[in-house]
Amino acid sequence: MTHTYNIKGMNKECCQEKIEKALNSLPAIKNIEIDFVNKTAIVEMTKHISLHTINKALKKAGDYSFSGEKMIMDSHTNDHLDTSMDSLEVTSWKDYIPLMVILSYIFGGSFLLTYLLDSSIQFFSFSFNWMLFMNMLMGLWFVFFSLFKMLDVKGFAEGYSTYDIVAGKWYGWGLIYPFVELALGIAYLSGFQIFYTSLITFVVLSVASIGVILNILEGRKFQCACLGTILKVPLTKISLIEDLAMAGMALIMMYMIL
């Protein structure tokens, strides 16, 4: 299998030799072609090596890293193997059907729970417990989204590290992120320390949105890791709106508590 990568940190031609030496230390590497001008690398390997493993090897040679992993045409099998995290084009609104179905369940469940938990609410009346509704909405959101990540935590971590600014620097953040989401979801649903839970939510999602913004500005399209590796959702402005909307809701909840 053959992969292409963007190279970061390669400023001199002597860097090319260091990068090649670092990659050749990995047993599965078969061939390496580096384009110094375009700062790209074509790496042929006998078995898939995660981006995290490659960057770990590169760090030993200097301040180098690969990004924008893409699996390309395999000349031996003539099969198109593009299953990576970048260059995903949105073909139609149907790409977002899984996300829309999940959001429908979350919003519907939030309204239902709010009605069941607050006996003072009457349908077709103007009274509504918005604070309770937001608790249920945030709680179900985090629980649902963490569930899909939990199905393949390692796969999520590898995908998340390709565009998140924290996970890109510290791989461990991608491994613990699903558990952070689950903890936040449980806290919201149980009503535990909502102010501090919202504060943590605001910080986490605000930081997460930075990585999405940077990739959108660079014109790069990635598979969003928000639903793990099970469901494929393109990383576009919709992903950014989701992060900012949740961060904004957390900010509103903190304001309502004060």
Side-chain angles (χ1 to χ4, degrees):
M1 58 183 67
T2 305
H3 296 253
T4 61
Y5 303 90
N6 298 318
I7 306 174
K8 296 180 180 179
M10 187 175 68
N11 302 316
K12 301 178 180 179
E13 291 189 9
C14 62
C15 298
Q16 180 173 334
E17 184 178 348
K18 293 180 181 179
I19 292 173
E20 291 177 346
K21 185 177 181 180
L23 291 179
N24 282 320
S25 65
L26 300 174
I29 297 296
K30 185 176 180 181
N31 186 52
I32 307 164
E33 294 181 15
I34 295 179
D35 185 339
F36 179 79
V37 176
N38 294 315
K39 301 293 189 297
T40 59
I42 299 177
V43 182
E44 186 177 355
M45 53 189 76
T46 56
K47 65 178 181 179
H48 179 68
I49 304 175
S50 70
L51 189 60
H52 171 66
T53 300
I54 290 175
N55 283 333
K56 190 175 181 181
L58 290 174
K59 287 296 180 183
K60 296 178 181 179
D63 191 20
Y64 311 118
S65 64
F66 280 2
S67 64
E69 179 181 4
K70 181 181 180 183
M71 193 179 292
I72 61 177
M73 188 77 72
D74 191 309
S75 59
H76 299 291
T77 62
N78 201 36
D79 292 330
H80 191 268
L81 302 173
D82 190 2
T83 59
S84 62
M85 301 297 293
D86 69 308
S87 299
L88 295 176
E89 296 293 337
V90 181
T91 56
S92 70
W93 61 271
K94 293 181 180 180
D95 293 325
Y96 295 100
I97 288 180
L99 181 61
M100 290 188 289
V101 171
I102 293 171
L103 292 181
S104 298
Y105 271 81
I106 292 174
F107 276 90
S110 300
F111 273 109
L112 180 61
L113 286 174
T114 302
Y115 174 72
L116 294 176
L117 293 174
D118 191 341
S119 58
S120 66
I121 296 176
Q122 299 294 326
F123 279 122
F124 307 111
S125 68
F126 292 101
S127 62
F128 190 76
N129 192 335
W130 287 104
M131 188 65 180
L132 179 59
F133 171 72
M134 287 192 288
N135 274 357
M136 296 301 102
L137 178 63
M138 300 285 273
L140 290 179
W141 183 292
F142 281 125
V143 169
F144 265 83
F145 277 65
S146 67
L147 168 64
F148 288 99
K149 297 178 179 69
M150 293 286 191
L151 296 175
D152 184 10
V153 175
K154 186 177 180 181
F156 162 76
E158 291 184 2
Y160 199 47
S161 67
T162 62
Y163 64 88
D164 183 74
I165 60 172
V166 178
K169 298 292 184 181
W170 176 42
Y171 182 72
W173 176 239
L175 295 175
I176 67 174
Y177 189 85
F179 300 94
V180 172
E181 279 196 332
L182 179 60
L184 290 172
I186 294 174
Y188 275 116
L189 291 174
S190 63
F192 177 76
Q193 296 292 333
I194 297 302
F195 180 85
Y196 293 105
T197 298
S198 297
L199 178 60
I200 295 172
T201 298
F202 176 74
V203 173
V204 169
L205 293 181
S206 295
V207 173
S209 66
I210 295 175
V212 180
I213 291 173
L214 292 176
N215 280 279
I216 290 176
L217 292 177
E218 292 177 3
R220 298 168 62 192
K221 294 181 175 62
F222 287 75
Q223 178 180 304
C224 181
C226 56
L227 293 177
T229 59
I230 307 301
L231 298 178
K232 311 299 183 183
V233 179
L235 178 68
T236 62
K237 294 179 181 178
I238 291 181
S239 305
L240 176 60
I241 293 172
E242 290 174 12
D243 286 342
L244 293 180
M246 294 291 285
M249 193 177 298
L251 195 61
I252 293 173
M253 294 179 74
M254 288 189 288
Y255 175 79
M256 293 176 66
I257 293 173
L258 292 176

